[in-house]
Amino acid sequence: MEMTEMTGVSLKRGALVVEDNDSGVPVEETKKQKLSECSLTKGQDGLQNDFLSISEDVPRPPDTVSTGKGGKNSEAQLEDEEEEEEDGLSEECEEEESESFADMMKHGLTEADVGITKFVSSHQGFSGILKERYSDFVVHEIGKDGRISHLNDLSIPVDEEDPSEDIFTVLTAEEKQRLEELQLFKNKETSVAIEVIEDTKEKRTIIHQAIKSLFPGLETKTEDREGKKYIVAYHAAGEKALANPRKHSWPKSRGSYCHFVLYKENKDTMDAINVLSKYLRVKPNIFSYMGTKDKRAITVQEIAVLKITAQRLAHLNKCLMNFKLGNFSYQKNPLKLGELQGNHFTVVLRNITGTDDQVQQAMNSLKEIGFINYYGMQRFGTTAVPTYQVGRAILQNSWTEVMDLILKPRSGAEKGYLVKCREEWAKTKDPTAALRKLPVKRCVEGQLLRGLSKYGMKNIVSAFGIIPRNNRLMYIHSYQSYVWNNMVSKRIEDYGLKPVPGDLVLKGATATYIEEDDVNNYSIHDVVMPLPGFDVIYPKHKIQEAYREMLTADNLDIDNMRHKIRDYSLSGAYRKIIIRPQNVSWEVVAYDDPKIPLFNTDVDNLEGKTPPVFASEGKYRALKMDFSLPPSTYATMAIREVLKMDTSIKNQTQLNTTWLR
């Protein structure tokens, strides 16, 4: 095995390689692409960003943030405001898409900026286009039992206790609107009365069922008013009923959770759940899943939802585009984050320049050696202020710097209204004035400004605390990733691709040192490196000192990674330095039309579409590759190893700005 370093040769190739899930902007979508609505929730934050690896399965932030102590000042009001803001946003977003994507990205990071500098294979690289179409990147979740999730059954489990299909049509649009507003406490009404036009017991029963099924949290009763029959809907259990659907309406013999397979196109997991919850009129927190999948791809994963029938879920197939729900079953338990074994990827690299021999060498190397398990570019943000810088300032307890880094003007991929917000902040340092410039206040900048308005400029810690916890923690996780990438590059540079005495390996969950007489019992695939923290050990060779030097240069004490604020204390973790994908297969296909799909999706198969047939000759060649990865690894880093190219958006847009115009 040879180890090579990235050199200038890769910079001469002109194709575009982009991030795992949503950083690529094909030519037909350049003008439509909505860039980051805020620097963390779209682009900086590893949880909600469109640039996050879909093979990295991490907790998502809570859907709302409380800004007060209950009542009208808490979550309900904040969510109402934000829904209103977002409803009127899209038109303004489209109008401001004047600066080209390539121009916006010229201020971003390159791989070298975040420590990604080495390759493990010796083959010659070649160019190819990743995600020319989002359907060129398909991800199937691998469950805890090792089974790959596929959408292949749209049937609904037969259940005599389910209401009839009439519940979806018995209420008028106006009645549904009034009931939804009642359920969400959006008006002053304490009840909604619906007149029963055809007064029969069957008709009244269907209306009762429709209201209770479609609007969890509402109860109903029948009343006589001036000789007419009305069904009156009202709240029985207050706001808590929204998060806890009524118990008595669910059969005791049936598992409380409906599990289903969600097929989605060009939507990340949290966005998808927000859409489903909106159509079902429930809170997003009754959904659970094993891992997040990002936007710019076709993804297939398992979802569980509390006490929503398969019948209601299947009805969404009639009214939602780019979604498909199926493989329904009732289970006793929800899903838990991290329970999955990984993800299976089907990736097409179009218009490749490599010869068949080069492709063979590259794919054999990926199969036999693997790739360096770097944290991909998605982890570090898309603007001139990398997320790891914010994380470093948090760890340094430099709260004024944290505030400044998040809110100050910067170059990079940002929408016009966010630029105006930053300019207002720089000019006035008035959080209320800056907040008025944001049509969407749910982004990190908006949340921080809300916090500063509430707690004042002298209490930045509390203001920052308004941001959802997982979003805040992603900043320091980004810093850990930055350190890890740099240290792994140095470890490979100093010691190559073989275990050496003093390296770390895991025995169970415990890290131990490789001793001199034990080296031959391990391979490079066993070696792990620590993410810095108070509960890890470091290699017993010169890389330990390299960790110390890097943290010291950042004014951090490697021997004391506990923070004054418990949330920001880093315990650390271990991560394998080389990952060898499983189930690797590939083929090179020829095609003439760049728009044609090059393989069938689950939905194509359900619809009985014939798989594409390829000619022996064509204008273009594509590499279709299949492989499985464990959680928290980046498919882009595997593809980088195959192509031998810098995967940063900055580098790729500079290489091929013509393609993006």
Side-chain angles (χ1 to χ4, degrees), residues 176-187 189 215 235:
K176 287 179 181 176
Q177 178 69 26
R178 289 178 62 207
L179 289 163
E180 182 169 2
E181 288 174 354
L182 175 66
Q183 178 187 243
L184 298 175
F185 299 92
K186 284 191 172 182
N187 56 27
E189 289 184 280
F215 300 93
H235 273 289

Side-chain angles (χ1 to χ4, degrees), residues 6 42 44 121 315 445 595 617:
M6 184 185 300
K42 290 276 189 190
Q44 277 194 337
S121 53
H315 187 72
E445 289 80 0
K595 295 181 180 178
E617 297 290 332

Side-chain angles (χ1 to χ4, degrees), residues 281-297:
R281 301 178 179 90
V282 296
K283 288 282 190 180
N285 61 1
I286 69 170
F287 290 86
S288 58
Y289 43 88
M290 294 183 287
T292 60
K293 308 286 177 282
D294 264 13
K295 182 178 178 183
R296 192 167 168 73

Side-chain angles (χ1 to χ4, degrees), residues 60-301:
R60 301 297 297 234
D63 193 56
T64 58
V65 184
S66 174
T67 57
K69 296 182 180 179
K72 285 288 182 183
N73 294 325
S74 63
E75 289 187 11
Q77 182 181 359
L78 177 59
E79 211 169 68
D80 291 350
E81 291 172 6
E82 286 167 347
E83 282 178 13
E84 288 166 12
E85 291 157 4
E86 289 178 357
D87 286 345
L89 175 66
S90 58
E91 199 172 311
E92 180 177 346
C93 286
E94 297 294 342
E95 287 174 0
E96 293 188 6
E97 198 63 60
S98 55
E99 189 177 14
S100 79
F101 187 75
D103 288 340
M104 285 179 144
M105 290 315 306
K106 66 188 178 187
H107 307 286
L109 298 167
T110 65
E111 287 186 347
D113 293 330
V114 294
I116 302 172
T117 59
K118 305 294 181 185
F119 293 102
V120 299
S121 53
S122 57
H123 72 271
Q124 184 180 348
F126 53 92
S127 65
I129 302 172
L130 172 60
K131 287 198 278 192
E132 185 167 12
R133 302 167 59 83
Y134 66 75
S135 55
D136 287 347
F137 202 100
V138 177
V139 188
H140 291 86
E141 190 171 70
I142 305 172
K144 57 184 175 182
D145 58 358
R147 183 180 51 84
I148 297 176
S149 292
H150 281 279
L151 182 77
N152 51 27
D153 182 4
L154 299 183
S155 65
I156 303 168
V158 178
D159 194 326
E160 293 177 1
E161 299 195 57
D162 281 338
S164 73
E165 278 286 314
D166 292 341
I167 68 165
F168 297 110
T169 56
V170 71
L171 299 171
T172 68
E174 182 187 356
E175 287 166 347
K176 287 179 181 176
Q177 178 69 26
R178 289 178 62 207
L179 289 163
E180 182 169 2
E181 288 174 354
L182 175 66
Q183 178 187 243
L184 298 175
F185 299 92
K186 284 191 172 182
N187 56 27
K188 294 179 181 177
E189 289 184 280
T190 56
S191 64
V192 168
I194 294 171
E195 184 181 353
V196 184
I197 306 298
E198 304 167 30
D199 184 18
T200 65
K201 185 174 182 181
E202 288 153 344
K203 185 75 172 192
R204 291 199 304 272
T205 298
I206 290 172
I207 296 174
H208 281 293
Q209 287 179 334
I211 294 172
K212 290 180 179 181
S213 180
L214 298 176
F215 300 93
L218 298 184
E219 295 291 352
T220 58
K221 59 185 176 183
T222 304
E223 288 186 2
D224 281 310
R225 297 183 182 179
E226 299 176 352
K228 295 180 180 178
K229 279 270 196 317
Y230 288 86
I231 290 176
V232 180
Y234 60 95
H235 273 289
E239 294 191 28
K240 289 182 181 178
L242 281 177
N244 300 293
R246 70 184 65 75
K247 295 178 181 178
H248 67 261
S249 64
W250 194 263
K252 291 180 180 177
S253 59
R254 180 198 284 167
S256 294
Y257 294 87
C258 185
H259 286 225
F260 61 96
V261 170
L262 173 65
Y263 168 103
K264 60 184 179 61
E265 300 180 0
N266 214 24
K267 269 284 192 223
D268 73 28
T269 299
M270 202 61 233
D271 285 343
I273 283 176
N274 284 334
V275 169
L276 297 179
S277 62
K278 184 175 181 180
Y279 274 82
L280 294 167
R281 301 178 179 90
V282 296
K283 288 282 190 180
N285 61 1
I286 69 170
F287 290 86
S288 58
Y289 43 88
M290 294 183 287
T292 60
K293 308 286 177 282
D294 264 13
K295 182 178 178 183
R296 192 167 168 73
I298 290 174
T299 65
V300 182
Q301 69 182 116

